[in-house]
Amino acid sequence: MNQTNNKPVSEEVKEALLKLTQDNIYMQNLQIEIMDMKLGYVKGKMMVTNEIMNPYGSIHGGCLYSLADIVTGLAACTYGVFSSTIDGSMEYIIPAMNTDYIICESVEIRQGKHVSLYEANIYDDKGQLVDKARFSFYMMNRSIV
């Protein structure tokens, strides 16, 4: 996915978002790590463990959806206000199998005052596209810092 914005996130907002993710037990359980953050863009990584596998030997779709929702939600928050998911959809292209980690890149489609739209692509450790997602977020009137 091509990043549409190369503007940096303010240091205050970046630090607050990183602390929020490090303190979040759900993200800790999914082993999600934020790799890169710019205005309207976040790249995250999720390690593959037995705990997130389905009975068929691929990563559970709910975990992939959670990864996309978290990463895109953080991207929407890079503007300095909290966001809340309105809706989301995921296209499961191929099973996420035989990979040590999954990468999710989220990019802004439209950042609105009240509603924002983001897309995410999820890749395996070989760079192969596994899933595509789209989320809309309600932008809260609540500052991150």
Side-chain angles (χ1 to χ4, degrees):
M1 174 172 292
N2 288 335
Q3 192 175 322
T4 60
N5 197 341
N6 285 319
K7 294 179 183 175
V9 178
S10 82
E11 280 305 311
E12 283 183 324
V13 169
K14 186 174 185 176
E15 286 176 22
L17 288 174
L18 289 176
K19 179 166 179 12
L20 182 112
T21 62
Q22 291 162 355
D23 293 346
N24 185 277
I25 294 171
Y26 188 63
M27 287 183 65
Q28 289 172 16
N29 288 339
L30 289 177
Q31 297 187 35
I32 296 174
E33 169 193 344
I34 302 307
M35 302 170 63
D36 192 16
M37 185 183 298
K38 294 185 176 61
L39 206 57
Y41 171 87
V42 171
K43 182 177 182 179
K45 178 180 185 178
M46 181 173 69
M47 298 307 296
V48 176
T49 62
N50 287 335
E51 290 79 13
I52 65 169
M53 302 300 280
N54 66 26
Y56 311 113
S58 63
I59 298 170
H60 192 286
C63 291
L64 294 166
Y65 188 93
S66 286
L67 173 65
D69 184 31
I70 289 166
V71 171
T72 54
L74 288 171
C77 289
T78 58
Y79 284 87
V81 294
F82 283 104
S83 68
S84 181
T85 306
I86 296 172
D87 67 9
S89 64
M90 175 85 87
E91 294 175 53
Y92 297 95
I93 299 168
I94 61 170
M97 304 176 84
N98 305 313
T99 184
D100 292 329
Y101 58 86
I102 294 290
I103 299 287
C104 179
E105 277 190 291
S106 177
V107 65
E108 167 190 332
I109 302 302
R110 179 184 183 277
Q111 183 71 26
K113 183 176 179 184
H114 301 290
V115 177
S116 296
L117 180 63
Y118 280 76
E119 286 185 342
N121 283 345
I122 297 179
Y123 303 93
D124 65 14
D125 63 4
K126 296 155 208 66
Q128 183 171 245
L129 181 65
V130 175
D131 303 306
K132 295 181 77 58
R134 183 175 274 223
F135 290 88
S136 61
F137 297 95
Y138 175 73
M139 303 310 298
M140 299 180 194
N141 188 16
R142 201 171 119 212
S143 178
I144 288 172
V145 287

